């Protein structure tokens, strides 16, 4: 009969596991790295006029006609004179949500990255609802704040590599 006695020193493995656990609790650096891809992803949704379930509903004929008339006034460079004698060009949104995609604020914490809209009226576009004076106009949902598969893959790669850096120390 052969008797084998083996001792293993697992202190390095224990340290690596503790570092991985600690890094998983402090993900702010990885989330900061995801700010730009998140912002780009959200703007792409509005530019492509698509939600998680596909293309947005079409504009109403009234909205489309109003949009076309506004675009013509911008092309002719109509100016307004402000109180101080300054001139300002009328801006007309070329995209359906106008400046809404640019109003996205991305914040980072130890355990989150969050994209929120600074526009008070963004909820009616995200979820649909009634809007306008007297709330007589029904706006269909046009979700622009959602996570695409590409962004989720990027997040998985960034977060995975950040947590695994604990093993390389």
């Amino acid at each position: 009969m052969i008797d084998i006695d083996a001792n293993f020193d697992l202190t390095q493995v224990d340290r690596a596991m503790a570092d991985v656990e600690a890094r998983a609790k402090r993900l702010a650096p990885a989330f900061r790295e995801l700010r730009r891809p998140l912002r780009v992803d959200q703007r792409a949704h509005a530019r492509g006029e698509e939600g998680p379930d596909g293309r947005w509903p079409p504009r109403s004929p009234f909205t489309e006609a109003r949009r076309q008339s506004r675009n013509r006034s911008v092309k002719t460079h109509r100016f307004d004179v402000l109180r101080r004698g300054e001139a300002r060009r009328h801006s007309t949104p070329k995209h359906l949500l106008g400046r809404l995609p640019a109003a996205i604020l991305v914040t980072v914490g130890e355990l989150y990255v969050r994209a929120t809209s600074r526009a008070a009226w963004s909820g009616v576009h995200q979820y649909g609802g009634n809007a306008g004076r007297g709330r007589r106009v029904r706006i269909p949902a046009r979700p622009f704040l959602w996570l695409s598969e590409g962004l989720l893959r990027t997040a998985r790669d960034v977060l995975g590599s950040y947590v695994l850096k604990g093993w390389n120390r």
Side-chain angles (χ1 to χ4, degrees), residues 111-151:
L111 297 174
Y112 67 88
V113 59
R114 179 182 301 137
T116 55
S117 177
R118 293 180 288 192
W121 43 268
S122 63
V124 76
H125 288 283
Q126 179 75 14
Y127 304 110
N130 295 329
R133 294 180 183 91
R135 307 269 186 223
R136 288 179 271 159
V137 178
R138 173 80 183 142
I139 296 177
R142 293 185 171 102
F144 60 98
L145 285 175
W146 55 279
L147 304 177
S148 68
E149 289 296 321
L151 180 66

Side-chain angles (χ1 to χ4, degrees), residues 70-87:
R70 281 187 178 174
N71 281 345
R72 267 187 245 111
S73 68
V74 168
K75 290 177 187 173
T76 61
H77 300 287
R78 193 174 89 197
F79 290 90
D80 275 345
V81 177
L82 302 177
R83 277 186 266 179
R84 293 185 219 141
E86 301 168 359

